[in-house]
Amino acid sequence: MTLEQRNVRDYGIDDDDSLDTAAIQTALDDCAGTGGEVYLPPGTYRSAPLRVGDDTTFRLANGAELRFVQDFTAFPTVESRWEGWDQDGFHPCLHVADAANVTITGEGVIDGGGSYWWEFVSVPPEQYPSELTERLEEIRSGNKQDAVSTFTVRPPLLQIDGCENVTVSGVTLRNSPFWNTHVVYSDDVTIHDVSIRNPPDAPNGDGIDIDSSRFVRVSDTHIDAGDDAICLKSGKDEEGREVGRPTENVVVTNCTVEHGHGGVVIGSETAGDVRHVTVTNCTFTDTDRGIRIKSKRGRGGTVEDLRFDTIVMRRVACPFVINGYYQTDIDSDPEPVTEATPNVRNVDFHHITAEEVESAAFLAGLPEQRFEGISFTDVDIDATRPFDASDLSPAMARGYDQRHGVFCKSLGSVSFRDVRVTVPDGSGTPLTAEASSTVVLEGFETEADEGPAVVADGVEHLRIGGCVAPDDGEPFAHVRDGAAGANDGESSVLLAGNYGDMAEAVVSVQPETVER
């Protein structure tokens, strides 16, 4: 079936400095509902925000560039979701809302003119134009704010909101005022062979945000982002739990990520749950973190059933982060478990290489809600990059002293099978586990010039198999008993199928007595 094509130049495009909004929007409106294709031939087009409706293909030819105007007065106020809350903000540059059967495709460029908007983030609000100040006061009068809210009601470049069966392919999406591509409250969305580009210093310059949406596929896409590259969210705090719409059944495959705060990130907005996610055959280069799950008390929600397979990371500050203390203090007493307590369980990392990284992994649940079922299989981590290569906190948890090795705390169960961790000489322990239920090491290898390969402090069950005991008499593991728990504070150690005298290489170390 051949789609009826509407060339925007037939709608009165003038080759001058005037805006092309009316012509393009009229063509899109003519297609909506009746079906067909809106075609942008080669050339540069300037427009205010646009809206795409049902049964529409929007095709940008090779050599076509759609530039959105740098003028906040051209962007009306709309209701959508910004950073986990349903509230008002500036109209997305290209808005696909409450629509079905939409395709945005071609080899053209969609440019959000983000530099104009980013300037407002870098200056004090008292220096805003008076009209913008009044506008923001009007927008924010009914909106929620928290400690991390800045000018976060800026327009996303492409927002797919309340839609079904949407495909984005071939195009380049760049310079977004806020997030680049936001998929929210939508089902059956495909993003394929897309180039997403924001400068590294673009504030809130996420690549793709998948937010309370289902059946989303991201494939063969390159992302160079100013913030998280691919981010999965499901609402914030009490409102997010009341809305209760998870992000689920998501596949990310054959993607390359360059720069950004994280390669694939879940959270911190986890209130509606995130589950059933597969990420495979990807590379992350020069990102702050690689695979990152972040939440905190008050968020609530469960993150579960995630699989990360066949991934290569290079020059990443910390390749693996599971953080229940996002922007909060890691040293805290247990609190009552409520619906506001986040949980993470059943996360598998398989066949992954991380080279030239600073911290091997940060894996921390909560003392009242230990995160369960974290597994690493066939993973090689070279954590020999100096800390000052990036000067970044590995996880943005307060009170944590950075280290090169793997750090585990408050986990129900975590396993390392055929895992190799390399840290610099004299830099400390390759793997530290604290206050956790079960730690399994099978074929765990390290390169450490001194001290034990493993420190287990307050681990109830430590299982070591298929590992090699040092032949120079040095310890393989130091084990310290913890607070009273399942084993009355004593740690049980099971050894099976190791090489060398592992029984002699696992040393019980009593906590130091502190004189007061």
Side-chain angles (χ1 to χ4, degrees):
M1 178 179 176
T2 302
L3 295 176
E4 179 183 355
Q5 188 179 86
R6 294 167 172 84
N7 189 320
V8 298
R9 291 197 169 271
D10 295 336
Y11 284 77
I13 296 287
D14 295 320
D15 292 321
D16 55 24
D17 291 334
S18 61
L19 294 182
D20 303 313
T21 312
I24 299 172
Q25 189 62 64
T26 301
L28 290 169
D29 290 344
D30 285 351
C31 264
T34 62
E37 177 178 291
V38 173
Y39 176 66
L40 260 67
T44 300
Y45 306 86
R46 295 177 64 248
S47 180
L50 297 169
R51 187 178 179 103
V52 182
D54 292 324
D55 304 312
T56 298
T57 294
F58 189 25
R59 182 178 300 277
L60 290 81
N62 188 2
E65 185 171 329
L66 176 59
R67 296 180 182 176
F68 286 96
V69 64
Q70 296 179 312
D71 178 5
F72 71 86
T73 65
F75 289 74
T77 300
V78 297
E79 182 178 355
S80 184
R81 178 183 266 187
W82 270 265
E83 291 206 316
W85 287 318
D86 293 335
Q87 53 191 351
D88 290 340
F90 287 89
H91 193 296
C93 298
L94 187 60
H95 201 195
V96 186
D98 302 316
N101 310 318
V102 173
T103 297
I104 299 169
T105 190
E107 298 176 322
V109 175
I110 301 175
D111 191 309
S115 59
Y116 165 81
W117 298 88
W118 305 332
E119 286 295 321
F120 294 125
V121 180
S122 63
V123 301
E126 55 267 22
Q127 296 183 17
Y128 290 175
S130 59
E131 191 174 352
L132 176 58
T133 299
E134 293 171 3
R135 181 78 178 281
L136 287 172
E137 289 176 352
E138 176 188 346
I139 288 174
R140 288 171 171 164
S141 62
N143 284 2
K144 298 179 178 64
Q145 297 281 306
D146 61 16
V148 299
S149 295
T150 54
F151 184 2
T152 53
V153 291
R154 306 188 307 277
L157 177 54
L158 169 62
Q159 186 178 76
I160 300 166
D161 182 359
C163 295
E164 185 174 358
N165 188 25
V166 176
T167 297
V168 183
S169 67
V171 294
T172 295
L173 301 164
R174 71 186 186 195
N175 297 326
S176 60
F178 184 57
W179 296 343
N180 188 297
T181 300
H182 184 201
V183 180
V184 58
Y185 297 142
S186 295
D187 290 354
D188 189 12
V189 176
T190 300
I191 299 172
H192 174 74
D193 190 25
V194 172
S195 179
I196 291 177
R197 298 184 178 275
N198 281 338
D201 58 350
N204 312 107
D206 291 15
I208 300 171
D209 288 87
I210 302 167
D211 190 355
S212 291
S213 295
R214 306 182 304 164
F215 308 114
V216 180
R217 286 89 58 201
V218 180
S219 62
D220 300 281
T221 287
H222 178 73
I223 302 172
D224 190 346
D227 206 307
D228 295 332
I230 301 172
C231 194
L232 282 63
K233 304 172 180 287
S234 63
K236 183 182 287 187
D237 301 346
E238 183 178 1
E239 180 187 292
R241 297 192 296 272
E242 289 176 353
V243 172
R245 294 188 62 171
T247 285
E248 58 185 342
N249 303 317
V250 176
V251 174
V252 177
T253 187
N254 299 339
C255 292
T256 55
V257 173
E258 182 180 7
H259 305 121
H261 291 183
V264 172
V265 179
I266 291 90
S268 69
E269 297 95 315
T270 59
D273 300 340
V274 178
R275 58 189 178 231
H276 312 322
V277 177
T278 298
V279 179
T280 185
N281 293 341
C282 294
T283 66
F284 307 147
T285 305
D286 293 313
T287 60
D288 295 351
R289 292 101 191 162
I291 301 162
R292 184 184 190 190
I293 302 170
K294 54 182 179 178
S295 192
K296 64 180 181 179
R297 295 180 176 113
R299 288 285 192 262
T302 297
V303 176
E304 62 182 338
D305 299 333
L306 316 180
R307 183 172 180 88
F308 301 90
D309 197 320
T310 314
I311 296 170
V312 175
M313 296 181 262
R314 190 161 183 244
R315 296 191 300 274
V316 172
C318 188
F320 304 98
V321 175
I322 299 177
N323 181 15
Y325 301 89
Y326 181 56
Q327 296 184 330
T328 59
D329 198 325
I330 191 172
D331 291 320
S332 61
D333 295 328
E335 297 184 6
V337 175
T338 70
E339 63 179 9
T341 306
N343 193 17
V344 177
R345 61 192 180 206
N346 302 333
V347 182
D348 296 327
F349 303 100
H350 177 258
H351 197 48
I352 298 175
T353 299
E355 301 176 339
E356 297 180 69
V357 307
E358 296 162 36
S359 299
F362 177 96
L363 314 169
L366 298 170
E368 69 272 15
Q369 182 74 80
R370 292 181 173 181
F371 295 169
E372 291 272 359
I374 315 301
S375 70
F376 292 78
T377 306
D378 188 20
V379 173
D380 194 327
I381 309 171
D382 168 25
T384 57
R385 191 184 190 204
F387 291 150
D388 60 6
S390 69
D391 287 325
L392 288 168
S393 165
M396 295 179 70
R398 293 198 295 265
Y400 172 72
D401 294 328
Q402 188 173 10
R403 64 194 73 193
H404 283 285
V406 175
F407 174 75
C408 306
K409 182 175 182 176
S410 297
L411 301 180
S413 58
V414 60
S415 63
F416 300 89
R417 293 179 170 89
D418 298 322
V419 171
R420 180 181 180 86
V421 177
T422 303
V423 298
D425 291 346
S427 66
T429 305
L431 190 152
T432 301
E434 300 177 359
S436 296
S437 301
T438 301
V439 176
V440 176
L441 307 175
E442 294 183 1
F444 180 79
E445 300 180 41
T446 70
E447 287 190 11
D449 63 331
E450 60 183 31
V454 178
V455 169
D457 190 350
V459 173
E460 295 168 12
H461 306 282
L462 177 63
R463 307 289 182 259
I464 302 174
C467 297
V468 179
D471 57 10
D472 56 2
E474 289 291 322
F476 179 83
H478 279 174
V479 179
R480 299 186 183 96
D481 294 339
N487 292 338
D488 293 326
E490 295 184 1
S491 298
S492 72
V493 180
L494 176 65
L495 307 178
N498 294 291
Y499 302 91
D501 192 352
M502 187 62 76
E504 290 295 323
V506 176
V507 179
S508 177
V509 179
Q510 296 304 316
E512 295 181 4
T513 301
V514 178
E515 295 184 2
R516 297 186 181 275

